[in-house]
Amino acid sequence: MQLLNWLKSWGAFALLAGLVACGGGSGSSPNVVDLTRSDARFSVLAEAVAAADLGATLSGPGPFTVLAPTDAAFAALLAELNLSKAQLLADKALLRAVLQYHVLGSQVAASQVPLGKAITPLAGGIFKIDANAGALVVTDGRNRKATVTQTDLVATNGLLHVVDKVLLPANLNLVQTAQAVPAFSTLVEAVVAANLQGTLAGTGPFTVFAPTNAAFAAALSELGVSKAALLADTALLSKILTYHVLPSRVLKAEVPVGAAITTVEGQSFSVDASLAITDRLGRKAQITGTDVLASNGVVHTIDKVLLPSDVTLPGQRTLVQQLQGMPQFSVLVEAVLAANLQDALSGAGPLTVFAPTNAAFTALLAELGVTKDQLLANKPLLTAVLQYHVLGSQVLSGQVPVGKAITPLAGGIFKIDANAGALVVTDGRNRRANIGFTDLRVKNGVIHALDKVLLPANQTVVQTAVALPQFSILVEAVVAAGLQDALSAPGPLTVFAPTNDAFAALLAELGVTKEALLANKSLLTQVLTYHVVSGRVLKADVPLNTPIATLQGDTFTVNSSLALTDQRNRRANLTATDVLASNGVIHVLDKVILPRP
C-alpha cells in the first residue's frame, strides 16, 4: 500500500500513460533513457548518461533496473566532491563508474529487493538496500545512505527507482576502512604487527568480525598480557586475527544463523538469532554493528575478541615455549639451548626474563667482535650473560623498583629507571637498554623484551674511575693514599667521586699544590675515606636530610636537591649518579667534601 501511495503521489501512472501515448517523445514506447529525458527531475542524470556514452547501452533490450538520482542529488554530490557540473561531466571514467553503479543487469521491482543482501550493479562492487520505517534505504560502497523516494517507474526495458542521493562505489579496502574508525585502532595495530595488512587489503572478498579497542582491552586482561606483548607474539596474534575473518563477503542478512561458520584460520564459530557469536572456547561475543562495506568485503563490529580452541595462550606455556614461538627471539632460544638452561627456564618458577631480541644479539656480536657461533660456543660467558637477564621472582612492569638495585640470578646488579613513560635498564657496564613490550605472562613467570643484551659489571670502582678522564686526579689521590686495593675489594662500596675541577678548586681553597696534597698521605686518606660509604647506595636509596656515615667516621647529609653538606658546612652538588661497578656505585661530585678539622 505504501508503494502504491508513493506512485500515486508522484503521478507516476499519469506520467507513464502519457509517455506510452506519445511514444516517449520518439515515436516508440519509453525505455529507461527516455524516462530520464522526459522527467525534469532527472535533467542532470540525462546529461550524465549522454556524456558517459551510456545512452545506447541503457536503451538496449535490458532488462535494467536504474536507481535514478534527482538533480538535487547531483547538486549535493557536486558539493560533496567539490566539483562543478562541467568537471563531473568531463570526467568520463568517473562518470561511467558512478552511473553504472546505479544500474542492475536485471529487472528488480521494489517488492523483489533482496533486503539486507549484497546487490551487484553493472559497475561491480556492491550496495545493499534495507527497509526502514516503510521506506527503502540504500547503503552504498562508501557507507553513505540514500532514500528511495519513488519506485517502479516502468520502461520498456526495465524499471526506475528514484533516489535522493548519488551512490558512490567503495574506495577503501578493509584495512583502510578500519583505519578510518578510531574504535578499531588496536585492531589495526594488531593486523600490522601480524603482517596481515597485505592480505586484508587484497582482492578478497572477506568478512571481518572486528573487535573494538574495548574488546581488545578486555582480552588483554583475560589473557594476562600487555598490548605490546600480544602484538609481539605474532604467531598467536595471526591465529587469533584469522579466526575473525571469513573467506567471503557475508552481510548481516546472509549470516547462517545457528550453523558452523568456518573462518580463514580453519576453525568455526556460530552466530545465534540475537547476533551473539559463540567461539570454540564457548565464550560469547555480541555483534554490535553490521554491514560496514568496503571494496573487498564487509566489517561487522564485535564487543569481544574471539579465540579458537587450539590456541595455546601464554599462561599455558613455559618461558622457553613462549620464546620458541616468537621469531624475534630465535637467537635467544639458541643461546638458552647452547647454555643448557632450558630446563631451568621451564621449571616451576616464577621467574622474570628480560629477553633481548635478535637485533639486540646482532649488536652485541658487533660490540664484542665475535661471531654468533663463537658466542654460543663460550658456555661460561653465555651462561653468565643469560642468567644476568633472569630474576628469581615474577616482577611485572608496575612492580619494578624504579631506580633501585635489582639482583639477577647471575649476581651483580642492574637498575631500571622510568624515562618519558618508558622503562630503561642500566646494566653493570653502564650500558642502557630500552624495555620494549612488558608483562607477557607465561605459566612460570613473565617476559619483558629488551633492545640490547645486558652485560654484568667487569670493572671495580677504581677501574671505572680510571676509565673516566674527569677522575684522573681522584685516581692519583687513591694511589697516593694506598687505597686502591681497599676500593677494589668485593665491597660493596659507594664512592662520592670529585671531578678534576673539584680537586682544582680544593687546591685553591687550601692554598696547596697537587703534589703537596698527594704527599700528605694522612690528610689524603682522611679526605678520600670521607667520600666512601659502606654498602651500595643508589640515588633512589640515599637517605635525605639524615647523617650518612662514611668510612672515615664522620658524616655528611644530602638534601632533596642532591646537595651534600659536609662537616665544615660546605656544599657540594651531585652532578651525576649511579655509575655502576662490580663492587659498588659511583656518584659524581662537583666539590671535594671535607671532614671536621
Side-chain angles (χ1 to χ4, degrees), residues 29-35 55-66 103-107 153-160:
S29 298
N31 57 45
V32 292
V33 176
D34 296 329
L35 283 182
T57 300
L58 296 180
S59 297
F64 302 109
T65 300
V66 177
V103 182
L104 307 184
S106 61
Q107 182 168 298
L153 297 182
V154 180
T156 57
N157 63 342
L159 294 173
L160 261 69

Side-chain angles (χ1 to χ4, degrees), residues 73-96:
F74 271 102
L77 176 71
L78 295 175
E80 181 181 348
L81 299 181
N82 194 26
L83 293 173
S84 67
K85 186 175 79 170
Q87 287 173 317
L88 177 63
L89 296 180
D91 191 341
K92 189 172 179 179
L94 171 63
L95 203 58
R96 286 179 68 87

Side-chain angles (χ1 to χ4, degrees), residues 375-398:
L375 177 64
L376 297 181
N378 189 340
K379 189 171 179 180
L381 171 63
L382 200 59
T383 301
V385 169
L386 292 177
Q387 290 186 326
Y388 189 64
H389 291 75
V390 183
L391 308 184
S393 60
Q394 179 171 289
V395 181
L396 301 177
S397 60

Side-chain angles (χ1 to χ4, degrees), residues 225-308:
V225 297
S226 66
K227 184 175 81 170
L230 178 62
L231 297 182
D233 191 345
T234 53
L236 172 62
L237 195 61
S238 180
K239 194 168 187 64
I240 290 175
L241 291 176
T242 54
Y243 187 58
H244 290 75
V245 181
L246 308 185
S248 59
R249 181 189 285 110
V250 182
L251 301 191
K252 171 188 171 183
E254 300 161 336
V255 172
V257 172
I261 299 172
T262 302
T263 68
V264 170
E265 186 270 338
Q267 295 191 54
S268 64
F269 57 72
S270 63
V271 181
D272 66 21
S274 68
L275 296 184
I277 300 176
T278 302
D279 69 15
R280 295 292 290 177
L281 296 181
R283 300 158 64 260
K284 297 279 188 178
Q286 188 66 42
I287 300 176
T288 58
T290 59
D291 294 351
V292 179
L293 303 184
S295 62
N296 63 337
V298 63
V299 177
H300 306 302
T301 306
I302 57 176
D303 67 356
K304 194 167 193 173
V305 175
L306 309 175
L307 295 176

